[in-house]
Amino acid sequence: MENRKKVAFYTLGCKLNFSETSTIARTLQDEGFDRVGFEEVADMYVINTCSVTENADKQFKQVVRKAMKLNNKAFVAAVGCYAQLKPEELAAVDGVDLVLGATEKFKLTDYINDLSKNDFGEVHSCEISEADFYVGSYSIGDRTRAFLKVQDGCDYKCTYCTIPLARGISRSDELENVLKNAAEISKQNIKEIVLTGVNIGDYGKGEFGNKKHEHTFLELVRELDKVEGIERLRISSIEPNLLKNETIEFVSKSRTFVPHFHIPLQSGSNDILKLMKRRYQREIYTERVNKIREVMPHACIGVDVIVGFPGETDEHFLETYHFVNDMDISYLHVFTYSERDNTEAATMAGIVPANVRAKRSKMMRSLSVKKRRAFYESQLGTNRTVLFESENKEGYIHGFTENYVKVKTPWNPELVNTLQKINLTKIDEDGSVRMEFVTTLV
């Protein structure tokens, strides 16, 4: 068995990419490869790419260089969103042997022969209109939580976004299959499942290859709540117009769903939301946050914001800043707008200078720090349940409460992947929260 080939994976971008990397890895393991860490010498390196930020593009080249340093004879394959959008560009990067687009990435084993290096990167990518079938995936074996993909693609036409070009139309996994995957995950002693997709609130569309909604996101949530053996379910990002009050109410009473929502806002100015072709106005966003606070006062609410969008004046930016500041939310993910080829926004007037974008980003990030601190402070003295992770970081073990407060306590290997009842006591200088155990250790 000594001659088994070694494969290493590197994932850029979102949780959805992590779930897909895991699925591709399992396929290769079934074909006789051993998976090793990316910092180890391998026969093949697979990089799952992202197209959302400028940095992801630059990171790709750095990751390829890292792989080539470890083994300059290794076979390097690029898959994922950037591979679909700019295959030729990736193929031209020194060291890249194979580039697979949206429909090909799950068939990686069909495209690798003897793993000998190519003179030029070989490209296999489809017209994105062909990405109309669904490949279910989930990640396990990497961490104490699993990412379960329930939906892919997007039918929205947001003017800044390349994801519909990279991932195709909105389509969903069959409900039965999602429940089967969730049950499989729960048997692996994984305590938490995070639901992922490109636009998960659109779940149910295209479940059987047509455009009809066979099921709704609320039905999915209700059915998942019944799966035996799952301790925690977490909803990843969901559009404000698709997060219905019924879903919020269900989560508040649910057995397994945790009080944590991540809801993209992108701008607090209705003028800019219109330019972005978002499907809601800021008033809807306020309603959603108020509803969550009404039924789950202790819930964690994360917000995505884009700064420096074309046409965003100082007034528009301040409108967003004050809107977010006045809302009872818990943290922000701040994105600095960057032009993307083949998007409507790339040709819009009113380009915001790079230094202004950077300044706005810094202001929003500072606001996020303030918001997270205030949220953590509001949780001190309360009893929560924490799921501990597996890493020993400088003598401490970390974990997250159900409402996404990051806690730390001195390292104890027996705590790994266990749920513990704790009391939140004080905020540490690194920003995480110290705690005391309420019950005796498992």
Side-chain angles (χ1 to χ4, degrees), residues 425-440:
T425 56
K426 64 170 189 162
I427 299 175
D428 209 44
E429 56 268 20
D430 67 358
S432 53
V433 179
R434 292 300 196 112
M435 41 145 284
E436 287 167 355
F437 290 98
V438 171
T439 51
T440 49

Side-chain angles (χ1 to χ4, degrees), residues 274-414:
K274 226 174 250 157
L275 284 175
M276 290 176 165
K277 290 194 176 163
R278 300 292 285 155
R279 298 197 176 192
Y280 53 87
Q281 301 263 273
R282 56 186 255 165
E283 290 72 18
I284 293 272
Y285 202 93
T286 308
E287 273 174 38
R288 294 295 177 268
V289 171
N290 291 345
K291 179 68 186 172
I292 293 167
R293 286 281 166 247
E294 178 199 318
V295 295
M296 287 172 274
H298 61 298
C300 180
I301 303 173
V303 183
D304 285 345
V305 173
I306 295 172
V307 297
F309 188 79
E312 184 185 64
T313 61
D314 285 346
E315 289 72 24
H316 290 134
F317 170 70
L318 287 172
E319 215 181 324
T320 298
Y321 186 90
H322 293 307
F323 180 67
V324 174
N325 191 32
D326 293 344
M327 247 187 321
D328 188 1
I329 58 106
S330 316
Y331 66 89
L332 295 164
H333 281 172
V334 182
F335 298 91
T336 305
Y337 172 74
S338 61
E339 284 75 6
R340 283 281 170 266
D341 290 348
N342 303 317
T343 59
E344 213 180 308
T347 59
M348 284 181 179
I351 293 169
V352 178
N355 62 329
V356 176
R357 293 185 208 186
K359 186 179 153 199
R360 289 176 187 172
S361 172
K362 200 173 171 186
M363 279 177 74
M364 290 309 287
R365 285 172 206 273
S366 300
L367 180 58
S368 180
V369 171
K370 189 180 108 178
K371 284 286 184 187
R372 193 185 295 269
R373 176 98 195 179
F375 174 61
Y376 280 9
E377 280 175 357
S378 75
Q379 296 305 299
L380 294 180
T382 63
N383 287 355
R384 296 280 168 242
T385 305
V386 64
L387 172 58
F388 282 107
E389 298 185 342
S390 54
E391 218 181 320
N392 180 345
K393 289 185 185 163
E394 295 169 7
Y396 287 94
I397 186 168
H398 292 76
F400 284 94
T401 63
E402 65 274 37
N403 61 340
Y404 215 56
V405 174
K406 188 178 188 180
V407 305
K408 68 188 277 195
T409 197
W411 171 255
N412 175 354
E414 287 173 26

